[in-house]
Amino acid sequence: MQIADDLKAGRLVPILPGWSHPPVECFIVTSRSAWHTKRVRIFLEWYARAMQALFAGFEREASPYVGLPADMPVVDRSQIFMT
């Protein structure tokens, strides 16, 4: 998964220990009219949850090698915001 295999094998090593970038948001965008189409809405909701699980897996797998700052709050990735 992403870089975790290279971290495990030692081909990639963390630098600047203790430094991390704050989490960034990922957006899924559609038009207002498409959102009102049930199949589009169901797909986008499924896709958002699939991406949340995928990114959480990346973090879980890489964290033992790069660590996450102790003072960094756990990010709640269970919410989907629709505007």
Side-chain angles (χ1 to χ4, degrees):
M1 286 187 128
Q2 240 181 12
I3 63 168
D5 293 334
D6 291 325
L7 288 167
K8 288 178 196 173
R11 293 185 297 265
L12 188 62
V13 295
I15 58 172
L16 298 173
W19 184 89
S20 69
H21 190 280
V24 294
E25 296 182 55
C26 181
F27 296 92
I28 301 170
V29 179
T30 189
S31 68
R32 196 175 295 265
S33 61
W35 179 255
H36 291 293
T37 305
K38 189 173 182 176
R39 68 177 178 265
V40 172
R41 190 172 55 252
I42 289 170
F43 170 75
L44 292 177
E45 289 172 344
W46 168 82
Y47 187 73
R49 285 185 173 71
M51 290 299 99
Q52 289 170 337
L54 180 69
F55 295 148
F58 289 159
E59 288 179 359
R60 212 174 20 257
E61 196 163 335
S63 186
Y65 303 97
V66 297
L68 294 174
D71 61 348
M72 184 179 208
V74 176
V75 178
D76 179 12
R77 292 185 182 3
S78 65
Q79 294 183 359
I80 298 174
F81 298 98
M82 293 165 245
T83 60

